Amino acid sequence: MKTAARRGRPGYDLESLLVVAVDLFNERGYDGTSMEDLARRLGVTKAAIYHHVSSRDELLRLATDRALDGLFEVADEVSGASGPALARLERLVRGAVVVLVERLPFVTLLLRARGNTEVERAALARRRQFDRIVTDLVRQAEAEGDIRPDVDPAVTSRLLFGMVNSLVEWYRPRGLSPESLADAVCKVAFDGITTGRAPK
Amino acid sequence: MKTAARRGRPGYDLESLLVVAVDLFNERGYDGTSMEDLARRLGVTKAAIYHHVSSRDELLRLATDRALDGLFEVADEVSGASGPALARLERLVRGAVVVLVERLPFVTLLLRARGNTEVERAALARRRQFDRIVTDLVRQAEAEGDIRPDVDPAVTSRLLFGMVNSLVEWYRPRGLSPESLADAVCKVAFDGITTGRAPK
């Protein structure tokens, strides 16, 4: 039966199914998209989808894990590094920008998760864990005298990643390369948008 | 009949209906919320809702207009002001932060609009108009030598408002006052998170 289904719709393996599902979730909202809608978009029966995944939630879990795994790979890399916290924070920001760009639809879906299902709540818990890593680095860099002490580190880190995460709303592939985008984010976030503090 | 409906459900005038609707839309997504869901949440019949508005879309329009009108009031105030573009940009950012905080659920809904309906597309068109005002100010401030010239003004303005708009995801009333929050945003956005460029 597995073989028959594959022969019937050779175009959809789990990966391409996931990509279409994530696009549809982003377009209409996860809560507003049924398996029926997804089947219609794919031009297959619901049974053909259930051949690959057990539920809509499983698609959501696969998608948000794709985003979160990327972010945690960067965080793990950074936490194993030595050197000033500010330099590690910059590596984290650069790495996160690259993950956002390379896994754009997945991160978009992650950032829109509201916690309405068990899977969404699990994703939000992992997001909070990542946020804590950022805040800890900001705190450490502040203690080392490299981050401004006149703003609460929790607020600083939220503003910093607010800027980073905004990419999913406006960045379009074929625009800036991930590296140029990471450069722009780091310049603006670390040194500000003004020339005011630069030597004159 | 109007009077009877009002007598029957004295608690829901248009304003309180709108507030509950916006909370529900933010919770479940606009596309995932039916008038049936809203009626259930309110504990009234659908007819009682249609007494106030003609459609779900009208609620969305009222809500997004509440957010957009606030932002455009600030933009109009700023565009009538004189002085360096950077100072006007700062006033715009401060004003926008206050609007975001004071109209948090409305702006949240606005920022999540995807353009799936006519009303959403109209809201997105007004958002783009606001974004152009920001980009024009950034461009002008760059020409005046006050904004860093090494990042595209369109990217700078998106990062700046990416930071501002992120407030809807993490700011909670009873936290920082709108003014302290605006201070933090301006410090971080205009001068950066680091102490690196400050005189030592």
Side-chain angles (χ1 to χ4, degrees), chain A residues 86 89 93 131 134-142 146-164 188-191, chain B residues 163 166-167 170 176 180-181 183-189 191-195:
Chain A
L86 183 63
L89 183 63
V93 169
D131 290 347
V134 177
T135 307
D136 286 347
L137 268 177
V138 169
R139 245 180 249 289
Q140 213 181 321
E142 190 204 309
D146 291 327
I147 294 267
R148 57 186 320 138
D150 55 350
V151 176
D152 182 323
V155 172
T156 301
S157 61
R158 281 176 182 284
L159 290 172
L160 174 61
F161 266 78
M163 185 181 268
V164 171
V188 166
F190 289 86
D191 294 330
Chain B
M163 185 182 269
S166 78
L167 299 182
W170 59 266
L176 285 172
S180 311
L181 190 60
D183 282 345
V185 169
C186 286
K187 281 178 187 167
V188 166
D191 294 330
I193 68 171
T194 67
T195 52

Side-chain angles (χ1 to χ4, degrees), chain A residues 26-29 31-32 86 89 111-112 114 116 145-151 155-156 158-160 162-163 166-167 169-170 176 181 184-185 187-198, chain B residues 26-29 31-32 86 89 111-112 114 116 145-151 155-156 158-160 162-163 166-167 169-170 176 181 184-185 187-198:
Chain A
N26 282 331
E27 219 171 89
R28 303 201 190 166
D31 296 309
L86 183 63
L89 183 63
L111 295 179
R112 291 186 188 156
R114 301 272 77 82
N116 292 333
D146 291 327
I147 294 267
R148 57 186 320 138
D150 55 350
V151 176
V155 172
T156 301
R158 281 176 182 284
L159 290 172
L160 174 61
M163 185 181 268
S166 78
L167 298 183
E169 300 300 333
W170 58 266
L176 286 171
L181 190 60
V185 170
K187 280 177 186 168
V188 166
F190 289 86
D191 294 330
I193 68 171
T194 66
T195 52
R197 291 203 294 159
Chain B
N26 282 331
E27 219 171 88
R28 302 199 190 166
D31 296 309
L86 183 63
L89 183 63
L111 295 179
R112 291 186 189 157
R114 300 272 76 82
N116 292 333
D146 291 327
I147 294 266
R148 57 186 321 136
D150 56 349
V151 176
V155 172
T156 301
R158 282 177 182 283
L159 289 172
L160 174 60
M163 185 182 269
S166 78
L167 299 182
E169 300 300 333
W170 59 266
L176 285 172
L181 190 60
V185 169
K187 281 178 187 167
V188 166
F190 289 84
D191 294 330
I193 68 171
T194 67
T195 52
R197 291 203 296 160

Side-chain angles (χ1 to χ4, degrees), chain A residues 67-136:
Chain A
L68 287 158
D69 291 348
L71 292 172
F72 276 96
E73 273 164 37
V74 175
D76 288 347
E77 227 179 83
V78 164
S79 78
S82 56
L86 183 63
R88 279 178 285 143
L89 183 63
E90 184 174 335
R91 280 181 58 179
L92 186 66
V93 169
R94 285 184 181 279
V97 169
V98 172
V99 169
L100 259 72
V101 168
E102 289 178 349
R103 306 185 187 192
L104 198 61
F106 301 99
V107 182
T108 303
L109 188 62
L110 171 68
L111 295 179
R112 291 186 188 156
R114 301 272 77 82
N116 292 333
T117 65
E118 206 49 60
V119 171
E120 286 196 324
R121 282 188 289 276
L124 289 182
R126 285 187 78 193
R127 262 196 79 183
R128 278 194 298 273
Q129 201 185 333
F130 182 81
D131 290 347
R132 274 195 297 275
I133 295 173
V134 177
T135 307
D136 286 347

Side-chain angles (χ1 to χ4, degrees), chain B residues 85-96:
Chain B
L86 183 63
R88 279 177 286 143
L89 183 63
E90 184 173 334
R91 279 180 60 179
L92 187 66
V93 169
R94 284 184 181 278

